[in-house]
Amino acid sequence: MRLTRRNALIGLGTVAAGAGVIGGTGAFTSVDADRSVSISSTTDGSANVQIVVNEVQGLSDTGGDTVSLSFESLNQNAVTDFDGALSITPQGSNGPYDVTATMQDGSGSNISWVTTTVSNGTGINGGTTASVDIEIDLTNNVASDFPTDAVIAISVSQAA
């Protein structure tokens, strides 16, 4: 084969391509990259689950970005019922849903002398409201024993 400019360029191109194959594919095995995540909550009117505090019998919504309850004037040595204290309405069309609620202290343990009962909370469709009744039994406890870090744990899940 005669050495011409064309043959020389073809030969150099072949050598360069071969070196690229031998040298690697240019892939990598790890990357360190800084990323940021921004999470925000939506107003309750746009939420997947709407929660409303029914302000009755001394029960009040104290406002803010979370639903909080203020139990005022609890009767000592008595059982106080807050019927329909909360209304919980799942949204969406992925139902039916099951709604549960329990009153827990900050460590996640149920408060034994507080009972929560969910009415109409089994197998409900989106847009249907479940009602939560709260009963506080102070016959063997005092109101000051109520944990300041207590929460109502609400679960809305797809029914099996």
Side-chain angles (χ1 to χ4, degrees):
M1 178 168 131
R2 199 173 126 199
L3 186 59
T4 63
R5 187 184 311 180
R6 176 183 281 171
N7 289 341
L9 288 175
I10 291 172
L12 284 175
T14 303
V15 169
V21 170
I22 292 171
T25 62
F28 51 89
T29 58
S30 68
V31 169
D32 287 330
D34 291 329
R35 300 285 186 258
S36 63
V37 175
S38 176
I39 299 173
S40 62
S41 62
T42 184
T43 59
D44 202 41
S46 302
N48 288 331
V49 176
Q50 295 179 353
I51 302 171
V52 175
V53 176
N54 298 318
E55 298 188 15
V56 293
Q57 302 176 17
L59 184 65
S60 62
D61 182 352
T62 57
D65 291 335
T66 59
V67 172
S68 54
L69 304 174
S70 174
F71 298 100
E72 298 174 5
S73 304
L74 292 176
N75 293 328
Q76 188 61 50
N77 298 319
V79 176
T80 304
D81 290 320
F82 295 95
D83 293 333
L86 298 173
S87 296
I88 302 170
T89 309
Q91 302 298 311
S93 59
N94 292 328
Y97 301 99
D98 289 338
V99 178
T100 61
T102 56
M103 183 74 75
Q104 300 176 344
D105 62 18
S107 68
S109 298
N110 290 348
I111 302 171
S112 62
W113 44 279
V114 177
T115 305
T116 55
T117 305
V118 179
S119 301
N120 191 36
T122 304
I124 63 175
N125 292 320
T128 303
T129 299
S131 178
V132 178
D133 301 334
I134 299 173
E135 178 183 274
I136 300 174
D137 183 353
L138 293 179
T139 55
N140 295 313
N141 298 287
V142 292
S144 61
D145 289 340
F146 202 88
T148 57
D149 59 354
V151 297
I152 295 180
I154 297 170
S155 172
V156 177
S157 59
Q158 283 187 305

